[in-house]
Amino acid sequence: MGIIRGRNLRNGLLFVSPWIFGFIAFQVYPIFYSLRLSFTRYSGFGPPTPIGLDNFRRLFSDPLLWKAAYNTLYYTALAVPIGVVVAIVLALAMNQKVREVAVYRALLYVPSILPIFALSFVWVVFSNPRYGLLNHLSRLVGLPVIDWIGDPRWSKLSLVLLAQLGAGGPALIFLAGLRAIPTELFESAEIDGAGPIRRFFRITLPLITPVILYDIILGLSLGLQVFTQAYVIASTGPNTMVGPDNSLMFYVLYVYRNAFQFSQMGYASALVWVLFMVSLALALIVFRWAKSWVHYEIE
Amino acid sequence: MHTSSFTANRVSAKRYVTTGIVPRVILVLMCTLFALPFYWMIVTSLKGSTELTVFPPTLWPRDPVWRNYRDAVLFIPFLRFFMNSVILAAGATIGAVLSNSVIAYGFSRIPWKGRDILFYIAIATVFIPFPITLVALFDIFARLGWINTYLPLIVPAFFGNAFHMFLIRQFLMGISHDLSDAARIDGAGELMIFSRIILPLMKPALAVVAIFAAVNAWNDFLSPLIYLQTQELYPLSIGLQFFRAEHNIAFSLLMAASTLVVIPIIVLFIFFQRYFVEGITIGAIKG
């Protein structure tokens, strides 16, 4: 028995060894390496100069960093709840029992696999205050015309709306959750006189809470690393504002500029470590909070 | 399944309205909403330069200018960028299929101590924001002399991806152990069982992984932006930025180019629809 166990351990480790190597080389090591770099001044060439905690001290007196952090948290705080609600609404629609439902599912899902760098261009044209369809439709129904990208009050919400084109992916996961709910539960609730809204809040919603938690955690991670949309739409040069009034200067974009445009690899490493810590802390808070509302009992 | 007799009965007619018509109206409205930006992309791509500046905008091109597509392709070395994107996607796909099939086998078909803990660690890495490793990885690859090559974009794909591993593992967990146990009694080694028995059975899961890997590589922006410095190497994601740099570029060319970037993904989806849906659904982490 011991021989088999030993052989299995050896074989198992051999099979997963590519992952172990990749995990250490591309994830663990870089994270610690950037911790080391965060205590140095480093342009990317020559040896890093140790400067102690200077980079971290600098964080506190860098107004643009605070702007970027504020923008990123603002974006994430909007994108996560809106994303969850939109995905659930799409999933409920995709779960309707109509014959051609597969067609609707496909149409709602496809935008989520399209490249965000192209969708960003489409969004610029679509939301243009003068020539875009969005504001044209607003004018037709009497809604105010909004400069979705050019107005700092709206630009972040505008990117949140753009992100909703990707809701079809999470919606399919919610759909799988919806279909796993035993139909008897709905039938007995219907006999008890519960209407569709009551059934949704009493049965459906509690039973998909594990998926909601998953979507929140994933959305949090994606929200904190928002980059491409802002870069494509608003970052025109290394020293320019990102969006009106820097309203689209996001955290990772600021890291990008410091590391790759200003050759401040040490400072960028400190920034990245702060992001790492904040992400972990937020994820832990969400998991803690989730204990009070996630239902695990029914399989 | 057909509702041909509903008119005969008022109750079922009412039921047909609530279960047949209302959901359809809602679904069509939702799909329209999601399709609007793409409708506008195509309409704008076909407008002539004077029609572009008409206010209010026309909802349909008066005189479709198909030349815009030719101009967009000629404005940047589109074909070159396209081929580069294909090469990157192919490299990432090959890496993903090779590595994740082997790794997922180790995480599901061989029982060994510590396996599940290690696997949960792997899954947890999905939630780590990728940019955290950005600066350090760049420096590491720079020291290896890999900057401005495809190596930083392709090599990591050969070392597994948590999401892909998860997909294949879920699939392999559902396959009976009878066949591999019998082979083991006959003295077959693990590598033999993997390559002769399990690998052929894995094909549907590998197809899912291949598609996701290809789409991700095609859509990737940040990595090529950082690692590639000469135009000859740019994929479409970066190449398209040339339209942005040009201030007077017509929206029509931009939209024509965007359409051309989006089409390959849509074609892929149409051909492999089943796998996309399966992948996402397996990807739903249970409880």
Side-chain angles (χ1 to χ4, degrees):
Chain A
M1 213 52 210
I3 299 169
I4 293 176
R5 205 176 290 162
R7 198 183 59 202
N8 278 341
L9 181 65
R10 189 202 63 198
N11 286 338
L13 284 172
L14 271 178
F15 270 88
V16 304
S17 60
W19 174 74
I20 295 176
F21 177 83
F23 179 55
I24 293 169
F26 303 128
Q27 285 179 307
V28 178
Y29 177 66
I31 287 177
F32 286 100
Y33 184 54
S34 54
L35 180 63
R36 220 195 82 198
L37 284 182
S38 71
F39 300 114
T40 68
R41 185 186 301 119
Y42 181 47
S43 69
F45 296 100
T49 320
I51 53 166
L53 288 168
D54 278 8
N55 286 327
F56 291 95
R57 270 188 219 111
R58 190 178 147 193
L59 293 174
F60 293 98
S61 54
D62 182 348
L64 203 48
L65 167 70
W66 290 99
K67 180 93 188 172
Y70 166 80
N71 286 342
T72 307
L73 289 175
Y74 183 112
Y75 173 85
T76 309
L78 279 179
V80 171
I82 291 178
V84 170
V85 171
V86 172
I88 292 176
V89 170
L90 286 191
L92 289 172
M94 288 169 162
N95 199 30
Q96 296 302 312
K97 279 156 197 66
V98 292
R99 213 180 320 154
E100 71 285 10
V101 72
V103 179
Y104 303 124
R105 276 182 202 158
L107 285 171
L108 294 171
Y109 172 69
V110 162
S112 75
I113 54 169
L114 300 180
I116 192 73
F117 63 84
L119 294 185
S120 303
F121 284 135
V122 174
W123 189 249
V124 169
V125 175
F126 183 68
S127 72
N128 183 285
R130 209 172 147 77
Y131 308 115
L133 182 61
L134 189 57
N135 278 305
H136 182 68
L137 294 177
S138 297
R139 269 190 294 268
L140 286 183
V141 298
L143 287 171
V145 169
I146 292 169
D147 188 354
W148 285 101
I149 292 164
D151 185 338
R153 287 170 302 168
W154 294 103
S155 54
K156 283 186 278 287
L157 179 65
S158 150
L159 291 200
V160 172
L161 293 182
L162 165 61
Q164 300 319 308
L165 281 179
L172 278 191
I173 302 178
F174 276 110
L175 180 62
L178 291 179
R179 305 183 85 180
I181 301 173
T183 42
E184 304 90 70
L185 285 179
F186 291 108
E187 281 156 10
S188 55
E190 205 169 353
I191 292 166
D192 291 346
I197 292 171
R198 203 181 155 86
R199 288 201 299 270
F200 173 75
F201 283 104
R202 288 295 173 82
I203 301 170
T204 312
L205 203 58
L207 289 179
I208 58 171
T209 46
V211 188
I212 295 178
L213 173 62
Y214 167 80
D215 199 33
I216 290 177
I217 294 286
L218 205 64
L220 204 60
S221 167
L222 289 175
L224 293 176
Q225 56 178 300
V226 58
F227 173 83
T228 306
Q229 303 90 303
Y231 182 90
V232 170
I233 290 175
S235 178
T236 47
N239 280 304
T240 55
M241 287 210 271
V242 188
D245 202 14
N246 262 327
S247 60
L248 296 178
M249 170 63 90
F250 290 118
Y251 199 94
V252 174
L253 199 86
Y254 193 57
V255 170
Y256 169 82
R257 285 193 169 184
N258 274 286
F260 306 111
Q261 296 185 319
F262 309 148
S263 295
Q264 308 243 8
M265 305 279 275
Y267 187 52
S269 297
L271 292 179
V272 144
W273 253 83
V274 171
L275 176 65
F276 184 37
M277 287 302 158
V278 170
S279 311
L280 274 185
L282 286 177
L284 284 179
I285 291 169
V286 169
F287 274 120
R288 264 264 159 108
W289 169 59
K291 276 186 189 155
S292 63
W293 54 264
V294 173
H295 293 246
Y296 280 117
E297 57 269 34
I298 296 180
E299 267 304 297
Chain B
M1 283 305 286
H2 210 266
T3 43
S4 52
S5 61
F6 71 86
T7 40
N9 184 321
R10 249 193 212 162
V11 178
S12 67
K14 190 185 167 211
R15 206 173 170 82
Y16 181 72
V17 170
T18 53
T19 64
I21 293 178
V22 173
R24 280 193 172 91
V25 170
I26 294 173
L27 278 161
V28 168
L29 278 176
M30 279 182 172
C31 290
T32 310
L33 200 63
F34 269 68
L36 278 180
F38 303 101
Y39 166 78
W40 201 241
M41 170 179 80
I42 292 166
V43 166
T44 308
S45 77
L46 291 172
K47 286 184 178 176
S49 51
T50 43
E51 196 180 354
L52 276 175
T53 54
V54 169
F55 181 84
T58 48
L59 294 178
W60 188 252
R62 278 180 226 146
D63 189 15
V65 184
W66 294 99
R67 240 187 76 113
N68 286 340
Y69 281 82
R70 209 200 63 174
D71 291 349
V73 168
L74 293 178
F75 183 79
I76 54 171
F78 191 91
L79 201 64
R80 172 34 98 42
F81 296 155
F82 188 93
M83 285 317 295
N84 289 341
S85 280
V86 170
I87 293 168
L88 283 173
T93 306
I94 292 167
V97 168
L98 287 179
S99 64
N100 291 299
S101 58
V102 174
I103 298 166
Y105 182 91
F107 272 128
S108 58
R109 307 293 298 186
I110 309 171
W112 47 282
K113 200 165 179 273
R115 181 184 84 177
D116 293 344
I117 295 167
L118 214 54
F119 183 70
Y120 291 131
I121 293 175
I123 291 305
T125 63
V126 171
F127 299 108
I128 298 176
F130 143 81
I132 283 161
T133 56
L134 199 68
V135 184
L137 268 182
F138 181 86
D139 197 57
I140 293 164
F141 289 137
R143 278 161 201 267
L144 292 170
W146 285 9
I147 303 304
N148 208 26
T149 72
Y150 285 166
L151 293 171
L153 303 173
I154 292 177
V155 171
F158 282 78
F159 295 92
N161 165 294
F163 178 62
H164 298 158
M165 280 155 50
F166 178 79
L167 288 180
I168 305 178
R169 180 177 178 268
Q170 288 295 93
F171 182 84
L172 289 183
M173 301 277 262
I175 292 176
S176 141
H177 279 265
D178 296 353
L179 220 53
S180 27
D181 285 347
R184 215 164 268 139
I185 290 165
D186 288 346
E190 214 63 63
L191 204 58
M192 182 81 103
I193 298 168
F194 168 74
S195 58
R196 294 290 169 78
I197 297 171
I198 303 298
L199 200 56
L201 293 173
M202 235 188 248
K203 271 183 203 150
L206 289 183
V208 174
V209 165
I211 287 163
F212 277 108
V215 170
N216 281 341
W218 188 270
N219 293 351
D220 193 10
F221 184 81
L222 185 50
S223 301
L225 177 70
I226 289 169
Y227 292 119
L228 303 177
Q229 292 161 345
T230 46
Q231 198 187 312
E232 295 75 53
L233 293 177
Y234 285 169
L236 278 170
S237 54
I238 310 302
L240 234 54
Q241 299 304 309
F242 283 110
F243 282 105
R244 210 185 48 138
E246 201 73 28
H247 284 296
N248 298 320
I249 188 67
F251 275 175
S252 51
L253 294 198
L254 189 59
M255 290 301 94
S258 301
T259 308
L260 292 175
V261 168
V262 159
I263 283 173
I265 305 274
I266 293 179
V267 170
L268 201 70
F269 177 79
I270 291 170
F271 277 102
F272 300 105
Q273 220 192 107
R274 191 166 68 89
Y275 295 112
F276 276 100
V277 176
E278 270 174 20
I280 290 281
T281 319
I282 306 169
I285 292 179
K286 286 178 185 164

